[in-house]
């Protein structure tokens, strides 16, 4: 889904990328600012129950994940370091989003401990999805398979949190349970994919 949308979003981002390039701002700066914005927004708004406002602000900063790539292509400053920095800080941003939701669920007047546990599982499973791919590539294989890559996981959790903030009942629970299942399936899919490359020749 996101691969289909990415070209359109990139076209929208291109004018802003040109403006930033003229100002001499590097892609790494955009990456860091975007991640810090996500982290601060998730840990400030979500625990206070401001799910819709938090989601809107987080989404603005998440777009920096596309903007840094646009800027890197325009300036020719794409690098191995930039790719490493982007992937590493993506994990930090994801952790902040789920941590904010966990705090919200635990600090409610009527704490939802089970759902907080599901959100924690989503965080761990998401990290495993990313790790499986990175480890496979480090061993000279691929693991670009699965139904819940990082972009899809982020869309699901942000949409669910945002709609919950607007008062839509049960949507956060549904989103987190679906995300937990999809993430677990993706981990298994990637393990099977790597097993076939490593063992089944």
């Amino acid at each position: 889904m996101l691969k289909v949308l990415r070209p359109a979003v990139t076209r929208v981002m291109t004018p802003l990328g040109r403006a930033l390039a003229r100002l001499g701002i590097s892609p790494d700066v955009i990456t860091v600012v975007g991640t810090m914005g996500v982290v601060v927004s998730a840990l400030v708004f979500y625990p206070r129950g401001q799910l819709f406002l938090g989601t809107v602000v987080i989404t603005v900063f998440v777009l920096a994940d596309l903007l840094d790539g646009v800027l890197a292509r325009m300036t020719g400053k794409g690098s191995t370091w930039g790719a490493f920095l982007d992937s590493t800080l993506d994990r930090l941003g994801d952790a902040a989003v789920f941590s904010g939701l966990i705090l919200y669920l635990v600090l409610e007047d009527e704490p939802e401990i089970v759902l907080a546990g599901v959100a924690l599982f989503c965080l761990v499973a998401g990290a495993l999805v990313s790790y499986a791919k990175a480890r496979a590539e480090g061993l000279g294989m691929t693991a670009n398979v699965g139904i819940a890559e990082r972009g899809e996981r982020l869309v699901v959790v942000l949409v669910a949190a945002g709609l919950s903030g607007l008062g839509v009942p049960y949507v956060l629970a549904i989103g987190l349970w679906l995300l937990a299942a999809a993430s677990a399936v993706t981990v298994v899919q990637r393990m099977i994919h790597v097993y076939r490359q490593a063992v089944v020749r």
Side-chain angles (χ1 to χ4, degrees):
M1 176 183 67
L2 293 182
K3 289 177 181 178
V4 173
L5 294 177
R6 184 176 289 269
V9 175
T10 299
R11 284 195 296 272
V12 173
M13 290 284 189
T14 297
L16 180 55
R18 290 197 187 98
L20 293 173
R22 285 195 293 269
L23 292 173
I25 297 176
S26 75
D28 291 349
V29 170
I30 300 300
T31 300
V32 172
V33 170
T35 300
M36 292 303 102
V38 170
V39 170
V40 172
S41 301
L43 296 180
V44 169
F45 292 113
Y46 280 176
R48 296 165 64 183
Q50 297 174 304
L51 299 187
F52 180 72
L53 177 59
T55 297
V56 171
V57 177
I58 289 168
T59 300
V60 170
F61 284 109
V62 164
L63 292 177
D65 191 43
L66 294 176
L67 183 58
D68 60 3
V70 172
L71 188 58
R73 287 189 292 274
M74 285 184 173
T75 60
K77 292 182 179 179
S79 64
T80 302
W81 160 250
F84 170 81
L85 179 67
D86 185 60
S87 295
T88 302
L89 293 187
D90 279 349
R91 306 291 81 74
L92 178 61
D94 294 351
V97 170
F98 284 102
S99 295
L101 287 175
I102 291 168
L103 288 172
Y104 160 69
L105 293 166
V106 170
L107 297 174
E108 280 190 298
D109 293 334
E110 297 181 8
E112 297 187 50
I113 303 302
V114 173
L115 196 55
V118 176
L120 178 59
F121 179 85
C122 289
L123 172 58
V124 174
L128 283 174
V129 169
S130 299
Y131 176 79
K133 178 180 178 180
R135 185 58 177 153
E137 291 176 347
L139 294 172
M141 294 176 284
T142 63
N144 295 316
V145 297
I147 60 175
E149 295 191 30
R150 193 239 175 188
E152 284 75 12
R153 295 196 307 273
L154 201 55
V155 167
V156 170
V157 70
L158 290 178
V159 169
L163 291 177
S164 180
L166 289 175
V168 179
Y170 308 116
V171 67
L172 182 58
I174 293 171
L176 288 175
W177 278 105
L178 287 176
L179 188 57
S183 298
V185 168
T186 301
V187 171
V188 174
Q189 286 178 310
R190 292 191 169 182
M191 291 181 69
I192 292 173
H193 187 70
V194 172
Y195 177 80
R196 287 172 176 168
Q197 295 173 76
V199 180
V200 183
R201 298 290 183 178

